[in-house]
């Protein structure tokens, strides 16, 4: 799918579909919709609104065949003007693009710049949302299907004649293309079968696709670096663990330095504390955090912010076998802190313990980890919102706000010290888990113990939002690529 913007009237772009819009309750179309209405002899106001009673409710799309030309006019309902948001533009565009593809014979569409008219939203953000909706809203993982069901829609043009709006929107389209491509790549990586995607191939992917300097450490090197906790989790697998470090340095002096860490369990069987079948079924998604940071780096390499960014993935597979780590084992993590393994299925935090320690040695201004960490977070927030915790309230608030604009939801969960009480061990400094209650928060407290130099740190728990059984508002099933949009926006702004 190619998205572009042209400095033309919508009527001067030849396309199979013309997309305009209406807010709820509008009887006399204004702006570009008004111009199209006039050009087609009041077809919208007289026929669609008066006769057909189209109300402009959010998400309603009226499809009107145009006389003679064989073209179609889509009128998209934007809902109540007061309730309109840029994210709605994204989801609406995704819906429209899916309708176009279903029709089968629509190759090119031209659209109004939704939101930048009477709604008065920022043209750059509106254009970015349309672009993301068009490119990522039609995503499907059909690599292993014989019938590829190719999308018919190949070209999506945004028409904007106003010079100022056009200039801003152009930047939005460019950012949108980079962001949506990163997002779709993350989805591809997560959806990929764990038969083919294991630590070595994930590392290979990062080397070839992150767009930045990428160093991969093997088992012997990981051992030398003292990352015994990470190694313990991976020791039951036939696949060697890999530690991946990606670095982006701006040409100008960096304004700040950020480290992002993605949980990279390429398959989580639970280890000797084996998961039941239904829980294990989608556990190839347990590297969603890793996919998010790798693909974010790709976008960073293209958007080139004045920020130094380090992305880190401790990639391994959590399997049961004769060589697997065992309940009751004590492991000395990189920081020197000893961990008693209470449950081998609480493996993500054990790998992150060492990744956090490694990240802190790079002396970043802040660290963000993103992980499909706890079923408890999924129980608390469902698939609707991800969890967020950390040691710095201001940064957490900033992140939530940025993420919301990027179209992703994060809800802060508490990290009171008492959540750590259940982690007390008789034989080590900590256990890796202590029961089901408040599981997302106790996992957060566990991680916090491996930040030893007080570096500001944010923890994102995406267990509930990374992989969906039923389509979300954007129409996406399976891997969502959650985190990519927020991380890109948070780093680049
Ligand atoms: N990868 C899982 C968490 C998860 C659950 C992700 C559901 C996506 C969907 C994690 O490694 C895990 O198994 N956590 C355990 C921890 C427990 C043993 C304390 C859990 O949440 O059940
Ligand atoms: Mn697990
Ligand atoms: Zn896991």
């Amino acid at each position: 799918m190619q998205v572009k913007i042209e400095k033309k009237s919508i009527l001067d772009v030849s396309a199979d579909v013309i997309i305009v819009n209406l807010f709820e309750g509008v009887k006399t179309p204004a702006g570009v919709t008004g111009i199209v209405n006039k050009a087609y002899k009041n077809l919208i106001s007289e026929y669609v609104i008066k006769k057909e009673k189209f109300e402009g409710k959010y998400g309603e799309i009226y499809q009107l065949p145009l006389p003679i030309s064989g073209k179609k006019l889509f009128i998209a309902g934007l809902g109540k003007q007061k309730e309109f948001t840029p994210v709605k533009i994204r989801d609406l565009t995704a819906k429209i693009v899916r309708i176009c593809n279903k029709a089968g014979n629509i190759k090119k569409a031209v659209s109004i710049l939704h939101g930048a008219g009477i709604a008065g939203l920022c043209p750059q953000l509106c254009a970015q949302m349309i672009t993301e909706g068009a490119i990522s809203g039609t995503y499907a993982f059909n690599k292993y299907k014989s019938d590829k069901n190719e999308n018919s829609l190949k070209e999506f043009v945004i028409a904007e004649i106003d010079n100022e709006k056009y200039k801003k929107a152009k930047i939005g389209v460019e950012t949108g293309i980079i962001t949506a491509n990163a997002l779709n790549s993350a989805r591809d990586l997560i959806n990929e079968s764990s038969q083919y995607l294991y630590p070595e191939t994930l590392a290979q992917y990062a080397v070839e696709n992150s767009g930045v300097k990428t160093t991969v450490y093997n088992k012997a090197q990981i051992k030398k670096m003292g990352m015994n906790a990470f190694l313990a989790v991976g020791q039951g697998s036939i696949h060697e663990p890999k530690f991946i470090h990606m670095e982006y340095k701006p040409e100008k002096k960096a304004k700040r330095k950020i480290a992002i860490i993605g949980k990279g369990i390429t398959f989580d069987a639970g280890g000797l504390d084996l998961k039941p079948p239904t829980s294990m079924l989608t556990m190839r998604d347990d590297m969603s955090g890793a996919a998010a940071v790798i693909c974010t780096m790709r976008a960073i390499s293209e958007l080139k912010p004045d920020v130094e960014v380090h992305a880190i993935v401790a990639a391994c597979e959590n399997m049961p076998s004769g060589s697997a780590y065992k309940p009751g084992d004590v492991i000395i993590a990189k920081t020197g802190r000893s961990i008693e393994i209470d449950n081998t299925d609480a493996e993500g935090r054990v790998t992150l313990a060492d990744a956090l320690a490694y990240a802190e040695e790079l002396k970043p201004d802040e660290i963000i980890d993103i992980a499909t960490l706890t079923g408890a977070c999924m129980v608390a927030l469902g698939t609707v919102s991800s969890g967020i915790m950390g040691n710095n309230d201001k940064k957490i608030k900033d992140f939530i706000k940025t993420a919301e604009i990027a179209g992703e939801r994060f809800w802060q969960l508490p990290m009171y010290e008492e959540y750590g009480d259940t982690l007390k061990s008789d034989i080590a400094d900590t256990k890796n888990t202590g029961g089901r209650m408040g599981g997302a928060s106790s996992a957060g407290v566990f991680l916090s113990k491996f930040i030893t130099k007080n570096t500001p740190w944010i923890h994102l728990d995406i267990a509930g939002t990374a992989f969906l059984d039923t389509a979300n508002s954007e129409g996406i099933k399976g891997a969502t690529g959650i985190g990519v949009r927020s991380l890109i926006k948070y780093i680049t702004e």
Side-chain angles (χ1 to χ4, degrees):
M1 163 81 80
Q2 209 195 351
V3 179
K4 54 186 177 187
I5 179 155
E6 290 184 11
K7 208 176 115 190
K8 280 184 181 168
S9 159
I10 196 165
L11 295 165
D12 293 337
V13 180
S14 77
D16 305 312
V17 168
I18 302 169
I19 303 154
V20 294
N21 63 37
L22 276 180
F23 276 110
E24 194 173 324
V26 170
K27 300 278 184 252
T28 350
V32 180
T33 307
I35 292 169
V36 173
N37 184 42
K38 276 215 185 87
Y40 286 98
K41 305 204 166 58
N42 297 334
L43 200 56
I44 300 174
S45 54
E46 293 303 314
Y47 180 72
V48 180
I49 297 174
K50 254 197 200 144
K51 270 239 168 70
E52 291 282 279
K53 306 254 184 287
F54 179 78
E55 290 176 319
K57 289 225 161 64
Y58 174 68
E60 268 183 344
I61 290 150
Y62 193 93
Q63 303 174 41
L64 187 72
L66 288 172
I68 311 160
S69 63
K71 289 182 187 180
K72 277 184 176 168
L73 180 65
F74 282 9
I75 302 134
L78 304 184
K80 296 202 173 71
Q81 195 178 324
K82 266 197 287 187
E83 291 166 11
F84 197 58
T85 61
V87 178
K88 284 188 172 171
I89 299 177
R90 183 193 73 197
D91 292 351
L92 194 70
T93 306
K95 188 169 180 184
I96 292 169
V97 166
R98 275 198 304 277
I99 292 173
C100 291
N101 281 323
K102 225 178 195 165
N105 54 356
I106 298 171
K107 292 201 187 77
K108 182 174 173 185
V110 60
S111 175
I112 189 171
L113 183 57
H114 305 293
I118 24 176
L121 301 176
C122 164
Q124 182 179 332
L125 190 57
C126 294
Q128 183 175 343
M129 287 296 154
I130 294 178
T131 308
E132 286 185 28
I135 298 174
S136 62
T138 46
Y139 173 85
F141 185 68
N142 47 22
K143 182 176 173 187
Y144 297 116
K145 286 202 168 184
S146 307
D147 180 3
K148 299 277 186 249
N149 211 352
E150 292 276 349
N151 289 328
S152 65
L153 189 67
K154 301 286 180 220
E155 220 182 325
F156 193 100
V157 180
I158 302 168
E160 179 54 63
I161 200 152
D162 179 275
N163 192 43
E164 283 310 302
K165 283 186 192 167
Y166 167 82
K167 275 197 285 189
K168 288 190 182 138
K170 196 165 167 41
I171 303 169
V173 171
E174 285 158 4
T175 315
I177 291 172
I178 292 170
T179 305
N181 285 337
L183 185 64
N184 285 355
S185 309
R187 290 169 176 170
D188 274 342
L189 256 184
I190 299 162
N191 282 320
E192 182 58 87
S193 166
S194 70
Q195 175 75 352
Y196 310 118
L197 196 92
Y198 42 88
E200 189 185 346
T201 51
L202 182 67
Q204 190 64 29
Y205 181 93
V207 168
E208 286 165 11
N209 298 287
S210 69
V212 298
K213 181 184 166 195
T214 301
T215 314
V216 179
Y217 298 97
N218 65 21
K219 195 171 161 187
Q221 292 166 313
I222 296 165
K223 189 156 193 145
K224 255 200 198 132
M225 290 149 90
M227 296 197 270
N228 296 314
F230 166 40
L231 278 184
V233 173
Q235 76 191 28
S237 169
I238 56 162
H239 296 296
E240 244 202 48
K242 299 285 176 193
F243 190 85
I244 312 164
H245 180 176
M246 295 154 270
E247 307 169 54
Y248 164 80
K249 291 204 170 115
E251 271 163 31
K252 280 194 231 159
K253 194 176 169 331
K255 281 194 293 213
R256 53 191 180 132
K257 180 166 162 183
I258 304 186
I260 53 178
I261 303 171
K263 173 174 170 183
I265 304 295
T266 57
F267 188 76
D268 181 10
L272 288 171
D273 289 309
L274 196 65
K275 283 182 183 297
T278 49
S279 307
M280 204 192 293
L281 193 58
T282 55
M283 278 301 135
R284 68 177 189 281
D285 80 343
D286 216 17
M287 36 58 75
S288 295
V293 302
I294 293 169
C295 297
T296 292
M297 281 316 253
R298 174 65 192 217
I300 294 300
S301 78
E302 292 167 14
L303 292 166
K304 302 191 189 339
D306 293 334
V307 182
E308 182 173 330
V309 190
H310 295 261
I312 293 149
V313 174
C316 67
E317 214 181 38
N318 187 25
M319 298 294 279
S321 79
S323 61
Y325 79 142
K326 303 179 263 328
D329 280 359
V330 174
I331 297 146
I332 318 292
K334 183 169 167 60
T335 62
R337 201 174 164 77
S338 59
I339 306 169
E340 178 193 354
I341 299 304
D342 179 73
N343 189 317
T344 61
D345 197 13
E347 83 299 336
R349 64 195 74 181
V350 180
T351 64
L352 290 173
D354 283 345
L356 285 167
Y358 179 93
E360 220 179 7
E361 282 179 0
L362 302 169
K363 298 195 167 62
D365 299 311
E366 62 190 292
I367 299 174
I368 304 173
D369 80 71
I370 175 163
T372 44
L373 204 65
T374 66
C377 189
M378 181 160 65
V379 171
L381 303 172
T383 58
V384 178
S385 174
S386 310
I388 183 168
M389 282 159 263
N391 61 7
N392 187 303
D393 246 32
K394 180 174 180 312
K395 290 211 188 290
I396 291 172
K397 299 261 150 36
D398 281 353
F399 191 91
I400 292 172
K401 219 184 265 166
T402 304
E404 191 184 345
I405 299 167
E408 295 183 340
R409 292 195 184 109
F410 289 86
W411 193 266
Q412 188 176 1
L413 299 174
M415 233 183 53
Y416 301 122
E417 268 306 311
E418 288 91 327
Y419 284 111
D421 290 352
T422 52
L423 301 174
K424 293 210 167 92
S425 164
D426 292 336
I427 53 170
D429 298 332
T430 185
K431 287 197 291 187
N432 73 330
T433 173
R436 285 155 24 96
M437 299 302 218
S441 292
S442 59
V445 172
F446 176 90
L447 293 179
S448 73
K449 303 295 178 201
F450 296 88
I451 300 276
T452 54
K453 299 180 187 76
N454 251 327
T455 308
W457 156 73
I458 297 175
H459 161 55
L460 308 172
D461 194 333
I462 56 167
T465 50
F467 201 94
L468 305 175
D469 295 331
T470 46
N472 64 10
S473 64
E474 209 189 342
I476 296 302
K477 251 180 146 178
T480 59
I482 187 81
V484 172
R485 295 196 258 230
S486 301
L487 285 172
I488 293 173
K489 195 160 182 68
Y490 186 78
I491 292 168
T492 54
E493 77 179 12

